[in-house]
Every structure is written in structure tokens, then in C-alpha cells.
Amino acid sequence: MTEKPVVLVTGGSRGIGAAICRSAARAGWLVVVNYATNAAAAEAVVADIVNAGGEAIAVVGDVAQPGDIEAMFATIDSTYGRLDGLVNNAGIVGSPQRIDEMDFARIDRMLRVNVTGSILCAGEAVRRMSKSRGGNGGVIVNISSMAALLGSAGQYVDYAAAKGAIDTFTIGLAREVAIEGIRVNAVRPGVIDTEIHASGGLPTRARDMAPSIPMQRPGEAQEVADAVLYLLSPSASYVTGAILNVSGGR
Ligand code: NAP
């Protein structure tokens, strides 16, 4: 078993996840960088971490596929023999659509990646972390969104509903496993300057939204990562079931 605490960051290859991976490595975590398709981006994050004196590996896996999740956790077991942290960060938006334009395939994919994947990963993590199952405890951070509170009307109400589910899941799971030495919290980013907006067909969304944000600017991925690192850290030892807005006042 490795000496360092091990954290899995889903969707760790780009955007907010990549910033979380780099920050976690600086804080002394051994980082498992999950990605779905873009191996080069994941390997670039690993290289950055290793070049800075940290430890990391990249692990492929679509969090919407139960078999991929099982394989990912099996790799962590065989490589490191421990898991201390999970950041459920992998997430997708869709192109802006009203509800009357959405089809089953879109909604199904939205919920599978953003909700089912996070719940399945949390289950695998709890099986390894729970003190009642012989583990040493641990910490889970879920990445929600301010969309959970605002609803994303006219853009992606399915995404907002998925993030609402993440909020509720965070509260319930925190209470369920608190006595087993596992803390569970969430961060709700506001509008953050990453490639997710381009993936939804709105490449300038972060900039365009600036006037509607009380701080008059989109956030940086690092500003979300800083909040996640706090929740991962012993400084948050009495914090569980909390959902922290990182949204510039939005
Ligand atoms: P991003 O720049 O689009 O990066 C998404 C990351 O998730 C990539 O590493 C991608 O890997 C991975 N990913 C996507 N689908 C996956 C899947 N099925 N299985 C595993 N990994 C998958 O997104 P981001 O802006 O950093 O968003 C990260 C999280 O923050 C998401 O949960 C998002 O909903 C949330 N959030 C973002 C904002 C914002 O304004 N950016 C606001 C609120 C909440 P590949 O490149 O390999 O596909």
C-alpha cells in the first residue's frame, strides 16, 4: 500500500477537474486523473504533476458505464491498495434546448453522466473508505452547479435538474456515512471559464454572462479547485453535508 493518501478525480483531464488534480498533488495527494476520451489531456495533467514532484496516473473510464467504473476502481486497488478521496467532477451540459425539443437520448445521457455516474462512484468509494467495512474513512466532494438553484431555463433544465439531484444526494450521503468516518460535501460553481460552454455550443458564454454576475466576471477553474481542496483537507474536519457556492455572488 502506498504511503500517500489517494484521491480519484473524475473528469480530471480538463477544466475544473484538471485544476483540482494539480492542486491536490501540491497538497500531498497521490492523484488518479480520470478521463473519458481525451487521453492526451489527461497525460498532460499527469506530466505537470510529476514534473512538479508529485505523483499521478491517468485512468480512462466513462462514468456513465458501470463496467468502466468497476475497472477504474479495480486499477486503483491493484496499483495503490487504498482510496482516501473522491471528487465527482465529471460532468456534461448539452446544446441549449427547450424541454419540448429534448429527446430521451439526450436526457438519459445527461442524467447518466451527471447523476448515475457520481452515485455509482460514491458507492465504490464508500465500499473502500467505510470504517464499518474495514476502511480508514475518507472524503467525497461532489461538483454541483448554481444551475441547481437557478434552473437553467431555456438552456438546459435537464442539466439543472441533474445538479439538483447532486445537491440532495450530497446531503443524504453525508448523513448516511458520517458515522463511518466519511465526510461528503459539494461545491456549486457559478459560471466558470472552461471548455464546457463550447461543448454546449456556446463558446463565449462565460464572457457573455459577466454583466449578470455580481462580481462582473466568470470564475477561474482554480477558484473552484481551491474550495474543493479546502473540503478535502483536515481544515474541514467538522464539515459534512455542506454545499459551498463558488459563484462570484451569482
Ligand atoms: P470541461 O472543461 O468540459 O471538462 C470536463 C471533464 O470531464 C473532462 O476532463 C472530460 O474528459 C470529463 N468527462 C466528460 N464526460 C465524462 C464521462 N462520461 N466520464 C468521465 N469523464 C468525463 O468541464 P468543466 O467546466 O471543467 O466542468 C467540471 C464540472 O463542473 C462538471 O461537473 C460541471 O457540470 C461543473 N460545473 C461547471 C461550470 C462551468 O461554468 N464550467 C459551472 C458549474 C458546474 P474528456 O475530455 O476525456 O471527455
Side-chain angles (χ1 to χ4, degrees), residues 13-107:
S13 53
R14 294 187 291 112
I16 292 168
I20 294 167
C21 288
R22 292 190 181 96
S23 291
R26 283 194 294 272
W29 293 83
L30 198 158
V31 184
V32 179
V33 182
N34 160 253
Y35 67 98
T37 54
N38 190 337
E43 291 300 347
V45 173
V46 169
D48 281 354
I49 290 172
V50 170
N51 289 339
E55 286 180 74
I57 55 165
V59 179
V60 68
D62 177 350
V63 297
Q65 302 295 336
D68 284 16
I69 292 176
E70 282 169 26
M72 187 162 66
F73 279 85
T75 298
I76 294 170
D77 291 342
S78 60
T79 312
Y80 299 121
R82 65 184 287 177
L83 182 70
D84 307 272
L86 166 68
V87 182
N88 271 320
N89 167 79
I92 55 167
V93 294
S95 56
Q97 286 181 354
R98 279 175 47 96
I99 188 74
D100 38 6
E101 296 168 336
M102 288 179 193
D103 62 14
F104 174 81
R106 173 200 163 110
I107 297 165

Side-chain angles (χ1 to χ4, degrees), residues 14 16 91-96 145 155-156 159 189-209 213 218-219 250:
R14 294 187 291 112
I16 292 168
I92 55 167
V93 294
S95 56
S145 170
Q155 291 202 326
Y156 22 68
Y159 171 79
V191 180
I192 309 301
D193 191 9
T194 72
E195 293 167 352
I196 201 169
H197 309 292
S199 76
L202 298 172
T204 61
R205 180 171 182 268
R207 222 177 320 135
D208 296 346
M209 296 288 290
I213 300 166
R250 182 170 150 81

Side-chain angles (χ1 to χ4, degrees), residues 62-207:
D62 177 350
V63 297
Q65 302 295 336
D68 284 16
I69 292 176
E70 282 169 26
M72 187 162 66
F73 279 85
T75 298
I76 294 170
D77 291 342
S78 60
T79 312
Y80 299 121
R82 65 184 287 177
L83 182 70
D84 307 272
L86 166 68
V87 182
N88 271 320
N89 167 79
I92 55 167
V93 294
S95 56
Q97 286 181 354
R98 279 175 47 96
I99 188 74
D100 38 6
E101 296 168 336
M102 288 179 193
D103 62 14
F104 174 81
R106 173 200 163 110
I107 297 165
D108 186 48
R109 180 79 187 156
M110 192 73 80
L111 295 178
R112 275 175 192 250
V113 174
N114 291 325
V115 184
T116 310
S118 294
I119 295 175
L120 283 172
C121 286
E124 293 286 354
V126 166
R127 283 182 200 110
R128 288 159 178 81
M129 294 172 178
S130 173
K131 288 185 176 173
S132 70
R133 299 177 70 113
N136 294 319
V139 55
I140 297 173
V141 181
N142 297 320
I143 305 301
S144 174
S145 170
M146 288 304 289
L149 303 183
L150 299 170
S152 303
Q155 291 202 326
Y156 22 68
V157 292
D158 51 350
Y159 171 79
K163 293 301 189 179
I166 289 298
D167 284 5
T168 306
F169 174 61
T170 299
I171 295 164
L173 185 63
R175 293 176 180 181
E176 188 165 296
V177 298
I179 202 163
E180 296 164 32
I182 305 171
R183 293 187 299 104
V184 185
N185 294 291
V187 170
R188 281 195 203 104
V191 180
I192 309 301
D193 191 9
T194 72
E195 293 167 352
I196 201 169
H197 309 292
S199 76
L202 298 172
T204 61
R205 180 171 182 268
R207 222 177 320 135

